[in-house]
Amino acid sequence: MANRVVPTRSFFSFSLFSSRHRPPKLFYSRPLLGIHTSLIFRRGYSLVDSVLQELDAIRSARRSRATNKMGFPSNKELVDDKVEKRVLQRGLLLEFRKDSQKLLLAVTQKPDGKKNWMVYDQNGVSSSIKPHQVTYIVPGIEDFNHEDIADFIRKTQDLLDPSILEFAWEELLEKNKSVTAEELAEILYGIGDPLESYCAHLLLSEDEVYFTVSECKGSYSVYQPRPSVQVEELLHRKRMKDASEKELEEFVQLLTSAKSKPLSSKPPKCSWLLEEKIQRRIKSLEAYAIDTFTSDEQRKTAGMILKAMGLQKTSSAAMNLLIDIGYFPVHVNLDLLKFNIQTQYSDEILSAAENLLTLKSDPDEANRKDLTFLKVYAIDVDEADELDDALSATRLQDGRIKVWIHVADPACLVQPHSMIDREAMRRGTSIFLPTATFPMFPDKLAMEGMSLQQGKLCKAVSVSVTLHQDGSIAEYTIDNSIIRPTYMLTYESASELLHLNLEEESELRILAEAAALRLGWRRQQGGIDTATIEARVKVANPDDPEPSISLYVEDQSDPAMRLVSEMMILCGEAVATFGSCNNLPLPYRGQPQSNIITSAFSHLPEGPVRSSAYVRIMRAAEMDFRKPLRHGILGVPGYVQFTSPIRRYADLLAHYQVKAFLRGEPLPFSAGELEGMASLLNMHVRVAKRLYNSSSRYWLLEYLRRQSKERKYHALIIRFIKDRLAELLLVEVGVQASALVSVGTQIGDEIKVVIDEAHPRDDVLSVREV
């Protein structure tokens, strides 16, 4: 036979093979439908031929008795011949479909209405079934006892061997014959008793390789052998499926073993990525955890693994499983994975950065202003790695104040459209998290080549501004410069110096005076004070199950923070004015004033309460790349972010434009090009902000989870959400929550609360007034 999958075997050898399923005497003691096996083999017939000829003879006799008509039967008549008509009656053993996934054996009890029947199934449950639910009626049984169903099922297990279908398929395909379950029972087992017939039905109905249904009438089906080519394909698929199931089983055993091990003994993450087949499954679970599937196959694979592990098909189940096996750390930041944040630089970028550090040339050397005579204060958070701004101040003879905002000058190293520039643009911004910083530029380049460093000569772009007595800008200049930073101060130490009011630090007092003038002037121009209390968290060893958490609570109305904030706003206004006067395309940032006048909130206490009310009415920021926009919230006629070119690419763009103008060179970017780049940069900034907010919130809740349940916190009532449900600010930790408060309390009141629950992974914080 062409394209035969296995060599043809006679059914004599097959009968010997199948006899292991029954006692030998049941197979050989009786002739096959009245035809002795010796006669069969003398005539050279196969067993299949003999069985089918005998069955055909019986059917022919029945047809002759039933009708005097001559001629060939129709297809319908052939089906009628193949299946014996049976009607439902009491005591029949049948198989029925309980639901889409379950088939049960049952015994018919009594009619239930016109068509339905009450049955008693193998689980001892009595129910009503419809005729179309019946999938097979076991022949030769008229009064079966439902108590014997379990024994009947047990006996079928001794006879079921799907592999024997292959031999029957070969012979039937050779003769182009179709069969019913009863006929196959005669062929396979040499007998068509109820047990054998049901076993043959099970083999045929569950077979997905050798046979397919050719005709179906009610609960009876006729099966025909599939073509050899189709069987080959199905066998190939089955082998692939079996191999995949075996691999899945082995993988599940691997996961189970890893879960059971103590934390110190769990396999490292890299070990899960060594073998391709294991890596593929691990990556599918990772994609399930962060919902970043690359294909339906990946989703299906993860679902199968979770099901095999007895887990729900949810992202949290996948995440917890990966934590349990040691692939994820306990405090894994899923957003970093979800947004595919690049935490490392390629060797090519690192090499290019090293080359920049070796360059001695300075394109602006000829026109750098020497400002090393100034006392320079760099004020930032204590763990800042990239220092990109610093301040100086003096009092002029006429009493006015002159300040300098010195900004790091990365554009003297990095050229527009260079490899390092393209990488910085692709990242868009440095990302600051409690656990790590992912800089826009490679670390060494940012910290050694670009950052301002105490006591060292540093290249900068210095914006000098002379103020009128009311705080408005009287004069300004922008210059490439050389400075030597005098102090590197934290906000805390700068505030302490201001409080001490030391004579030798008069320049710092002048800066604070300038900041106060600027704040007053901005408020007169409609500027809004949005200073509040914020938490800053730093985490050491974040991959440990119990890492060290340091919490800093910052009051933005602190004198040093006010000082720095006002000088940064002043710098942005001066650069916007410079750009406007010289018709420079720049990323001008504006924000429309809200329609609600700020006096509407004058009854609210100053600080976090009033700031929170302002923030809720603020309108979205706007951008223009040809001319300044009024910034209503800041109260300035124009504003350009300029003071963080190491951390924000938009600031670096402004540097490129301004420095090219100062050199008298063509501007590197048109307004249209800036606009196109800004849309991409805004997306990066939004992602970075989301990462910062979600990560900070997570670690704040983890910090609170570890605190004593008896600890009491001071909470400020920010606003009422509904009735007595209030939004609170926990002052000691700078985190917001909501809770029911006592009758009579008002906005701005301070109450005491305790924390009932803090679940960082689920972002749950439940507080209660005490």
Side-chain angles (χ1 to χ4, degrees):
M1 181 174 64
N3 297 321
R4 191 166 293 174
V5 178
V6 294
T8 305
R9 307 180 187 180
S10 73
F11 253 81
F12 178 65
S13 63
F14 163 69
S15 299
L16 291 176
F17 168 77
S18 64
S19 67
R20 74 178 186 272
H21 298 290
R22 286 180 62 82
K25 65 177 182 178
L26 293 180
F27 186 81
Y28 295 110
S29 62
R30 58 179 291 177
L32 185 57
L33 294 176
I35 300 178
H36 293 281
T37 54
S38 60
L39 178 61
I40 294 171
F41 295 115
R42 279 201 307 272
R43 293 179 180 176
Y45 293 159
S46 75
L47 187 58
V48 172
D49 287 328
S50 303
V51 171
L52 294 176
Q53 284 182 12
E54 183 72 12
L55 291 170
D56 285 341
I58 293 172
R59 294 193 192 98
S60 296
R62 288 176 180 171
R63 285 200 301 273
S64 298
R65 291 193 296 270
T67 178
N68 292 322
K69 292 183 180 180
M70 302 297 292
F72 294 100
S74 66
N75 288 338
K76 181 178 182 302
E77 289 170 337
L78 286 173
V79 176
D80 290 342
D81 287 340
K82 286 278 188 182
V83 297
E84 180 183 346
K85 293 181 179 177
R86 295 193 190 94
V87 294
L88 290 177
Q89 60 187 34
R90 187 181 182 280
L92 292 181
L93 178 63
L94 55 79
E95 180 188 80
F96 75 97
R97 188 172 297 281
K98 178 73 172 177
D99 53 46
S100 61
Q101 301 293 325
K102 187 180 294 183
L103 292 170
L104 297 176
L105 278 178
V107 176
T108 51
Q109 301 295 311
K110 61 181 179 179
D112 183 29
K114 291 183 178 181
K115 296 183 178 180
N116 296 357
W117 271 81
M118 295 298 297
V119 298
Y120 205 86
D121 66 33
Q122 64 192 61
N123 297 322
V125 177
S126 179
S127 58
S128 176
I129 65 170
K130 296 179 172 60
H132 72 264
Q133 291 179 257
V134 179
T135 53
Y136 187 70
I137 298 177
V138 181
I141 293 178
E142 294 184 354
D143 192 15
F144 197 85
N145 188 335
H146 70 267
E147 294 179 353
D148 295 331
I149 295 179
D151 186 55
F152 185 86
I153 293 174
R154 181 184 55 77
K155 290 177 179 178
T156 64
Q157 305 308 311
D158 297 332
L159 293 177
L160 289 177
D161 182 359
S163 65
I164 64 178
L165 279 178
E166 178 185 348
F167 305 101
W169 166 76
E170 281 190 355
E171 294 289 343
L172 289 166
L173 181 64
E174 182 80 22
K175 304 302 179 184
N176 193 23
K177 298 289 187 180
S178 59
V179 289
T180 63
E182 291 80 3
E183 290 173 344
L184 188 67
E186 293 280 359
I187 296 170
L188 297 180
Y189 306 113
I191 188 171
D193 282 357
L195 181 64
E196 287 74 11
S197 294
Y198 182 61
C199 288
H201 159 73
L202 288 177
L203 290 173
L204 287 169
S205 62
E206 295 175 4
D207 173 54
E208 297 178 349
V209 176
Y210 297 104
F211 291 90
T212 183
V213 176
S214 61
E215 299 287 351
C216 186
K217 184 176 182 181
S219 59
Y220 297 92
S221 300
V222 178
Y223 297 84
Q224 68 180 26
R226 297 180 190 268
S228 297
V229 173
Q230 189 177 16
V231 168
E232 281 188 4
E233 175 62 24
L234 291 171
L235 282 173
H236 174 71
R237 293 182 187 177
K238 187 174 185 300
R239 285 191 292 268
M240 295 292 289
K241 181 181 178 183
D242 291 345
S244 178
E245 288 176 352
K246 183 180 179 182
E247 285 184 6
L248 175 61
E249 183 180 351
E250 293 172 350
F251 184 68
V252 167
Q253 291 174 354
L254 199 62
L255 294 176
T256 304
S257 173
K259 279 185 66 175
S260 65
K261 293 180 179 179
L263 190 63
S264 59
S265 302
K266 292 186 186 294
K269 181 176 181 176
C270 60
S271 68
W272 296 96
L273 306 176
L274 295 177
E275 293 186 42
E276 190 278 332
K277 62 182 181 181
I278 294 177
Q279 182 190 77
R280 179 170 52 85
R281 286 184 163 86
I282 279 289
K283 287 297 183 181
S284 71
L285 283 173
E286 184 176 315
Y288 210 98
I290 60 180
D291 195 21
T292 57
F293 295 104
T294 57
S295 66
D296 290 337
E297 182 64 27
Q298 201 176 41
R299 182 190 298 271
K300 182 180 177 182
T301 299
M304 290 170 59
I305 295 169
L306 292 172
K307 182 178 179 181
M309 291 293 294
L311 302 172
Q312 290 184 326
K313 294 181 182 180
T314 62
S315 59
S316 60
M319 178 197 67
N320 289 329
L321 175 59
L322 291 171
I323 290 174
D324 290 342
I325 66 172
Y327 181 78
F328 279 166
V330 173
H331 300 287
V332 59
N333 188 333
L334 293 181
D335 283 340
L336 277 178
L337 301 172
K338 187 178 295 185
F339 291 112
N340 195 27
I341 301 301
Q342 299 299 308
T343 59
Q344 303 293 330
Y345 284 91
S346 68
D347 291 341
E348 187 179 22
I349 294 296
L350 293 175
S351 177
E354 287 285 350
N355 290 337
L356 287 181
L357 288 172
T358 62
L359 292 178
K360 300 300 182 182
S361 62
D362 177 8
D364 303 300
E365 185 175 9
N367 63 355
R368 281 198 186 276
K369 184 175 288 189
D370 186 351
L371 298 179
T372 54
F373 63 91
L374 292 172
K375 184 180 285 187
V376 178
Y377 298 89
I379 305 172
D380 210 328
V381 293
D382 54 356
E383 71 279 356
D385 296 322
E386 308 159 351
L387 293 172
D388 44 15
D389 56 70
L391 305 170
S392 299
T394 188
R395 193 180 301 278
L396 302 178
Q397 290 185 351
D398 59 7
R400 293 184 302 172
I401 294 175
K402 183 176 182 177
V403 298
W404 286 264
I405 302 96
H406 310 289
V407 183
D409 188 8
C412 74
L413 287 173
V414 179
Q415 300 302 310
H417 310 298
S418 65
M419 183 188 299
I420 296 292
D421 172 71
R422 290 196 303 270
E423 178 68 13
M425 180 185 172
R426 190 175 67 83
R427 294 173 179 255
T429 180
S430 294
I431 297 176
F432 300 95
L433 302 180
T435 52
T437 297
F438 305 111
M440 188 173 76
F441 290 108
D443 281 331
K444 191 173 182 181
L445 179 62
M447 289 187 284
E448 295 182 16
M450 298 176 175
S451 290
L452 304 179
Q453 300 177 59
Q454 184 175 3
K456 295 184 178 181
L457 293 176
C458 300
K459 300 180 183 69
V461 178
S462 296
V463 179
S464 66
V465 181
T466 301
L467 297 177
H468 287 301
Q469 294 297 335
D470 63 355
S472 61
I473 296 176
E475 302 168 11
Y476 68 90
T477 62
I478 301 179
D479 298 288
N480 293 299
S481 63
I482 290 286
I483 62 171
R484 192 192 303 272
T486 313
Y487 294 117
M488 296 294 184
L489 302 175
T490 64
Y491 288 113
E492 292 80 2
S493 58
S495 291
E496 188 174 334
L497 280 176
L498 286 170
H499 179 72
L500 292 174
N501 197 24
L502 300 175
E503 184 62 34
E504 56 268 31
E505 301 301 336
S506 59
E507 294 87 349
L508 189 61
R509 294 204 317 272
I510 295 172
L511 279 170
E513 185 181 339
L517 286 175
R518 286 292 299 171
L519 177 61
W521 179 81
R522 288 195 306 105
R523 285 180 172 175
Q524 289 179 353
Q525 306 306 309
I528 296 173
D529 183 10
T530 57
T532 186
I533 294 174
E534 283 192 352
R536 183 165 49 85
V537 187
K538 294 301 293 182
V539 180
N541 304 317
D543 288 346
D544 291 349
E546 292 287 326
S548 173
I549 303 174
S550 300
L551 177 65
Y552 308 90
V553 180
E554 298 175 342
D555 184 350
Q556 293 175 348
S557 63
D558 172 85
M561 296 197 80
R562 285 276 197 197
L563 187 158
V564 173
S565 175
E566 288 299 331
M567 293 302 103
M568 299 304 106
I569 295 171
L570 175 60
C571 180
E573 182 187 351
V575 173
T577 304
F578 178 84
S580 177
C581 292
N582 295 288
N583 199 28
L584 297 184
L586 291 172
Y588 299 101
R589 182 176 295 271
Q591 194 162 25
Q593 196 84 39
S594 171
N595 293 329
I596 302 176
I597 58 175
T598 56
S599 60
F601 300 102
S602 58
H603 65 287
L604 298 175
E606 282 194 50
V609 175
R610 189 181 295 182
S611 294
S612 176
Y614 286 152
V615 169
R616 288 196 299 274
I617 65 167
M618 284 168 53
R619 296 163 66 181
E622 297 177 354
M623 297 288 291
D624 195 295
F625 303 92
R626 293 170 176 82
K627 62 182 186 302
L629 295 171
R630 174 170 175 75
H631 202 300
I633 303 302
L634 298 181
V636 294
Y639 181 69
V640 173
Q641 288 184 323
F642 195 77
T643 57
S644 295
I646 306 177
R647 307 179 186 186
R648 292 189 302 242
Y649 191 79
D651 295 43
L652 182 61
L653 283 177
H655 276 243
Y656 284 150
Q657 299 290 89
V658 169
K659 287 174 67 65
F661 179 82
L662 292 177
R663 295 190 198 116
E665 297 176 354
L667 301 183
F669 302 105
S670 67
E673 288 173 324
L674 290 176
E675 185 172 3
M677 298 163 76
S679 60
L680 178 63
L681 294 174
N682 288 338
M683 180 185 70
H684 290 309
V685 170
R686 285 195 297 269
V687 169
K689 186 175 182 180
R690 173 173 172 175
L691 282 169
Y692 173 79
N693 289 338
S694 63
S695 185
S696 296
R697 173 83 174 178
Y698 177 93
W699 287 107
L700 273 171
L701 295 188
E702 174 64 14
Y703 173 86
L704 293 173
R705 184 188 68 82
R706 300 182 188 183
Q707 303 306 303
S708 167
K709 291 292 185 182
E710 289 74 35
R711 179 178 173 181
K712 296 179 181 178
Y713 300 85
H714 292 86
L716 195 62
I717 298 178
I718 300 296
R719 67 185 180 102
F720 283 97
I721 301 170
K722 184 180 180 181
D723 299 330
R724 291 169 47 225
L725 181 63
E727 181 180 324
L728 309 175
L729 174 65
L730 277 61
V731 178
E732 292 98 333
V733 289
V735 68
Q736 292 191 357
S738 59
L740 293 173
V741 297
S742 303
V743 175
T745 53
Q746 298 180 12
I747 294 176
D749 286 353
E750 192 173 283
I751 61 174
K752 289 185 177 180
V753 298
V754 293
I755 295 175
D756 288 333
E757 289 183 286
H759 298 300
R761 187 62 69 189
D762 300 322
D763 192 20
V764 171
L765 178 61
S766 176
V767 305
R768 171 172 48 87
E769 183 183 9
V770 292

